[in-house]
Amino acid sequence: MNWPRRVWTALPRLGPPGVVWANRSWLAMGMAVGIVLTILFTNGVQPLFRESTAWEKGKLVVLSGRDQSDGQRRALINQWNAEHPEHPAEIVELSTEADGQRSEMVARAKEKSENADVYNLDVMWTAEFAQSGYLRPLSGVDTSGFLKQPLESCRYQNVLWALPFNTDAGLLFYRKDLVQEAPLELEDITTTATRTLRAAQDARLQAGYTGQFADYEGMTVNALELIWAEKGNVVDENGKVVIDNDRTRRALRWLADGLKGDKPIVLQDARVENEPLSTQAFRDGKVVFMRNWPLAHRVLTGNQAESEGRPRLDFTVAQLPGPSVLGGQNLAISSKSSKPRAAQALIEFLTGPRSQQLLFERGGLAATRGIVYQDSRIATEHPYARTLLKAIENARLRPITPYYSRFSDEFRGVVQYAIDHDGALPSDAEERLTAALQGR
């Protein structure tokens, strides 16, 4: 007798003689079903028992600030729509300035209705939106190839909430006809600017340096960079406020003193300037140096030739005297989206290598993937790309806290006080900033 028959005959009789075969039949059927299920699961049919991975159909809404890529973002959306007609995407643009964008996005996120699938967030908002429950974590995403710092800005409490859409790092723009070597320290800017202003080589010159010191996020960024240039700090790596130190006060004193006089080191109009106004001041020949984002390079290059009586602008860029603040924007899925799988697919498309190259090559937005900077065409058409890559790699994140907006407001108040008091700090600076970081 072969072994299957032996096993069969050895099966226990589960009832009286008249029903034993029925019991054996049920047991045999159970064994058969078990074998079939085992085969299914060991041959890759598990997805039948999992959540569907199919993309949800319907329009995807992306909430974003104004497109500063000469329409390249919309061109990518149009490409996506052509390839995915059942999952069309639409960009809804909000305020131009970051502070206004955040306010509008928070207001929409608080609404009960579903009004967005993807948020295009400034890098410092990730923690706030994640902590508030406005975002859905990403899963199963290949993050290889992204630059380290931009990708780090997409995480909060060790969870990946977004992917980097475009990145940014501040650069030092300067006049090649007036400056021989890029300054390495703030004092170098002072020395070169003083010498140039005294030489009166250009009658249009009003000051040595300009940045963005109007009362908005630009002031926070510029002040942090000046402090870092002097190797000071405001919040350490452990999240502790450490602004009350000599190096920080020295940086703020440089700014306060620089704004004084008829031919100041720092353009007095810088206190009311944002990025476009700073760019215009530099283009008009009012300053020797300018701190700005890479986007200004495209604007200045387009207006480099002589026009309206203005001589040709001969400029170049270098890294800032210290680390730059990391800028840029990240794409995240709204927690209220009814199409999360389609939304994640759209995000992966927009942050993919080809999309990143087009955004940089045609739109002037700094790419978040390292491979883009290795492209020979990028190196030829954008000679500042290597300088920008180094600036991004050396850039630092702003304090990571769900209450960043409150911290930034309080920090600007401290900086404004320092400007008006020869670089001195308010007596309660650390207390105020600590409370803001903690949302108090």
Side-chain angles (χ1 to χ4, degrees):
M1 182 183 297
N2 58 25
W3 72 265
R5 183 175 295 276
R6 291 178 180 177
V7 171
W8 181 254
T9 56
L11 289 174
R13 297 177 181 270
L14 303 178
V19 296
V20 64
W21 282 107
N23 288 323
R24 286 179 175 175
S25 297
W26 281 109
L27 184 57
M29 185 180 296
M31 292 173 63
V33 170
I35 293 170
V36 170
L37 289 176
T38 300
I39 293 173
L40 287 174
F41 273 88
T42 56
N43 284 275
V45 192
Q46 299 97 317
L48 292 174
F49 300 89
R50 296 177 180 173
E51 182 181 359
S52 173
T53 57
W55 299 352
E56 309 88 349
K57 296 181 180 179
K59 184 170 72 173
L60 297 166
V61 175
V62 181
L63 281 187
S64 176
R66 294 291 175 85
D67 186 1
Q68 296 181 309
S69 67
D70 279 349
Q72 188 53 46
R73 282 180 177 170
R74 290 194 177 277
L76 288 176
I77 291 293
N78 291 339
Q79 181 181 339
W80 164 272
N81 291 344
E83 296 175 4
H84 307 92
E86 295 185 335
H87 317 280
E90 175 191 6
I91 294 182
V92 176
E93 293 186 355
L94 305 177
S95 172
T96 303
E97 289 191 352
D99 296 340
Q101 294 170 25
R102 174 193 162 276
S103 297
E104 290 188 56
M105 285 192 185
V106 169
R108 296 195 184 209
K110 288 181 177 179
E111 294 177 0
K112 294 182 179 180
S113 60
E114 176 188 348
N115 50 40
D117 298 285
V118 175
Y119 293 120
N120 188 21
L121 303 173
D122 266 42
V123 292
M124 65 278 193
W125 302 340
T126 304
E128 175 187 0
F129 275 62
Q131 179 75 18
S132 300
Y134 301 153
L135 306 181
R136 177 190 293 262
L138 299 183
S139 61
V141 178
D142 180 7
T143 58
S144 61
F146 285 109
L147 296 173
K148 180 181 177 181
Q149 291 296 75
L151 183 62
E152 186 62 27
S153 73
C154 295
R155 300 185 191 277
Y156 176 60
Q157 295 184 340
N158 297 319
V159 176
L160 183 67
W161 297 95
L163 289 181
F165 192 18
N166 60 271
T167 189
D168 240 342
L171 296 174
L172 185 67
F173 293 71
Y174 64 91
R175 296 264 300 271
K176 290 174 64 176
D177 56 327
L178 301 176
V179 179
Q180 301 302 315
E181 295 181 358
L184 301 178
E185 299 179 353
L186 293 183
E187 277 307 310
D188 295 336
I189 292 178
T190 299
T191 301
T192 303
T194 301
R195 182 177 64 247
T196 304
L197 290 168
R198 286 175 178 171
Q201 294 174 257
D202 189 331
R204 300 172 301 166
L205 282 177
Q206 297 179 15
Y209 174 93
T210 194
Q212 300 81 49
F213 294 98
D215 188 12
Y216 77 113
E217 184 62 22
M219 173 186 271
T220 298
V221 168
N222 279 247
L224 284 173
E225 290 172 346
L226 292 180
I227 291 169
W228 294 342
E230 289 290 350
K231 297 180 174 56
N233 211 346
V234 178
V235 179
D236 68 15
E237 59 185 11
N238 297 316
K240 181 182 178 181
V241 175
V242 292
I243 193 172
D244 191 6
N245 60 77
D246 290 340
R247 293 183 180 277
T248 294
R249 279 191 290 269
R250 188 165 64 198
L252 295 175
R253 188 163 55 249
W254 182 89
L255 176 59
D257 292 345
L259 286 162
K260 298 174 182 176
D262 294 333
K263 289 286 187 177
I265 301 302
V266 182
L267 186 69
Q268 291 171 350
D269 284 346
R271 293 199 68 174
V272 295
E273 284 182 352
N274 56 15
E275 288 84 0
L277 290 176
S278 294
T279 304
Q280 188 62 46
F282 185 73
R283 178 62 187 92
D284 289 344
K286 293 181 180 180
V287 293
V288 182
F289 299 100
M290 173 185 66
R291 181 270 173 214
N292 215 322
W293 301 108
L295 191 62
H297 195 285
R298 186 186 68 196
V299 176
L300 290 169
T301 302
N303 291 280
Q304 197 170 17
E306 292 188 32
S307 62
E308 300 177 359
R310 296 182 305 185
R312 175 182 172 80
L313 181 67
D314 192 12
F315 77 96
T316 189
V317 297
Q319 292 187 70
L320 297 171
S324 166
V325 166
L326 184 76
Q329 296 173 311
N330 300 329
L331 295 173
I333 302 174
S334 167
S335 58
K336 294 180 181 176
S337 173
S338 60
K339 300 176 284 292
R341 292 186 296 278
Q344 181 165 317
L346 173 62
I347 289 174
E348 292 181 83
F349 168 80
L350 293 173
T351 59
R354 180 56 178 161
S355 294
Q356 287 298 299
Q357 178 155 353
L358 291 174
L359 281 171
F360 191 3
E361 193 175 281
R362 302 178 186 179
L365 298 181
T368 62
R369 290 181 175 270
I371 193 172
V372 175
Y373 298 90
Q374 300 172 19
D375 185 86
S376 58
R377 182 172 178 178
I378 291 292
T380 301
E381 297 183 359
H382 304 275
Y384 66 96
R386 288 193 175 184
T387 300
L388 173 58
L389 177 59
K390 291 179 181 178
I392 294 169
E393 291 173 336
N394 295 329
R396 294 169 60 174
L397 298 175
R398 281 161 274 190
I400 299 174
T401 169
Y403 312 105
Y404 176 79
S405 180
R406 190 176 305 180
F407 166 83
S408 183
D409 288 343
E410 200 66 55
F411 177 65
R412 292 200 297 274
V414 170
V415 174
Q416 288 168 337
Y417 179 94
I419 291 174
D420 295 333
H421 294 81
D422 299 323
L425 293 169
S427 60
D428 60 348
E430 287 201 347
E431 180 183 343
R432 287 163 53 183
L433 293 176
T434 299
L437 273 179
Q438 298 172 358
R440 295 187 281 112

